[in-house]
Structure formats: C-alpha cells, structure tokens
Amino acid sequence: MCIRDSPTSMVDPGETAHEVQRVRQAVDRTAENIRGLRSQLADTLAEKYAAILDAHLAILTDDRLFREIAGRITDQGFSAEHAVSRVLGEYARQLASVEDKYLSQRAQDIFDIQQRLMHALTGLEKPPLEGVSHPVAIIASDLTPSETIAFDREKVAGFATDAGGSTSHTAILAKALDIPAVVGLGRATSAAAGGD
C-alpha cells in the first residue's frame, strides 16, 4: 500500500487556521462526492453495496478524525496535505497490521479516503483511464473501491492486483459490478508489461 505525503509538509504558524479551513472544505467536498457516488451505486446495485460508501462517509465525517488532523496542523505546523497523509496513513498501517484478514483489508478503505481528500486539497484528480479507446485489462498493485466503481465497464475488461483478498471492498464491488477480477496475486505488476 502506498501512502503519499505532500511535498510541502510544514506551514508558518500564521497559516494554520487557513490550513484547518482547507481540510474542512476538502472533507465537505469529498463527502458530497461520495454521497453522489453512493446514490449512483444504489441505483445500479443493491443497497448493501452502496453501504460500503456509507462506511467511508462515517469515517470521513467523524469529528475525532477531523480534530486529529486539525491538531497536527495547529500543534505541529503540518500543511493540510501532510496532516491528512500522516493521520490517515497511521490509521491504514494500524489496520493493515491486524491479524484478522477482514479487518486488515479495511486499510484499503482508509487509503481510498486519504486519496480522495488529497485530490480535494490539491485539485490534481486524474480521471481514470482517460484516453483509453479500446478494452483493457488493468494490472495494479492495488485498487481502491472508488477506482473500481469509477471504471468504464465498456473499456475495462477486467483487472488483477498484487494486493487484496476476497473480502476486500474492491473485490466485493468488482463481483457486484460483473467486472472480472483476480486479487492478491502478489507480483502481477512485476510480471506484466503494457500490451501483454
């Protein structure tokens, strides 16, 4: 799992209030985006699959999470991006280290939330598979549930990942969306090259 840090990690003390406000706005935008995606998913699939995004919303909008991120900004002078990356990265690492396979696979959900917040903060969201004109098979180290939901099913013939398992939300959503997928291969990315 890759946890991305921001290149600018510290801010001047006079900028901390602005950074906390940026996090609040990013949380609000991200929550709105997830609600829209949830509605779309509920229309396409059973409500039980849309509930995966309810869990993302619950984590994202948890006041304790916001306070912890804001605390890193005000107490340690972290930038908004760095605070989000550090706090959610710590949460993901803690979950990933749990021996229970089901719980350890929830780390990917935390990474998904982190990635969404980072996109909201930086504005650098890249549309998935932009410019692909024909069906492709995706080989990736891992995919988030959001990435899986966003696939254009006319262009994505299926995917394989190094990480994951049968109880990961990515695998569950792939099955529900009828996207052929193999997860937990270990080294698929090192064994494949573009065009294979």
Side-chain angles (χ1 to χ4, degrees), residues 17-175:
H18 173 70
E19 293 297 290
V20 170
Q21 182 61 27
R22 288 182 61 227
V23 171
R24 172 54 64 203
Q25 291 168 345
V27 166
D28 292 345
R29 281 193 308 275
T30 302
E32 183 179 327
N33 180 274
I34 292 173
R35 285 185 193 101
L37 191 57
R38 188 216 183 280
S39 177
Q40 175 188 346
L41 192 59
D43 290 345
T44 321
L45 298 172
E47 187 69 24
K48 67 180 180 179
Y49 297 110
I52 291 170
L53 295 177
D54 289 338
H56 287 208
L57 275 171
I59 294 165
L60 175 68
T61 59
D62 185 293
D63 285 336
R64 188 176 65 146
L65 174 65
F66 179 78
R67 285 193 307 271
E68 191 169 343
I69 293 169
R72 298 285 178 102
I73 294 169
T74 57
D75 299 341
Q76 296 176 322
F78 287 174
S79 68
E81 292 86 352
H82 192 69
V84 164
S85 181
R86 290 292 291 267
V87 170
L88 289 171
E90 289 167 11
Y91 283 10
R93 282 187 290 279
Q94 288 172 2
L95 272 174
S97 69
V98 171
E99 298 224 4
D100 181 287
K101 191 174 182 178
Y102 177 82
L103 288 176
S104 69
Q105 289 180 355
R106 299 295 73 84
Q108 188 61 21
D109 294 305
I110 301 297
F111 176 65
D112 196 348
I113 294 164
Q114 178 207 17
Q115 187 175 6
R116 286 175 164 278
L117 277 175
M118 294 297 280
H119 289 161
L121 286 165
T122 63
L124 297 177
E125 189 162 6
K126 181 180 171 186
L129 303 176
E130 184 179 346
V132 174
S133 60
H134 59 281
V136 297
I138 305 296
I139 308 295
S141 60
D142 207 355
L143 294 168
T144 65
S146 296
E147 290 169 327
T148 305
I149 293 168
F151 281 152
D152 179 343
R153 284 181 233 122
E154 291 182 18
K155 294 180 182 170
V156 176
F159 68 83
T161 63
D162 294 338
S166 61
T167 60
S168 71
H169 284 158
T170 297
I172 292 167
L173 287 169
K175 184 176 182 179

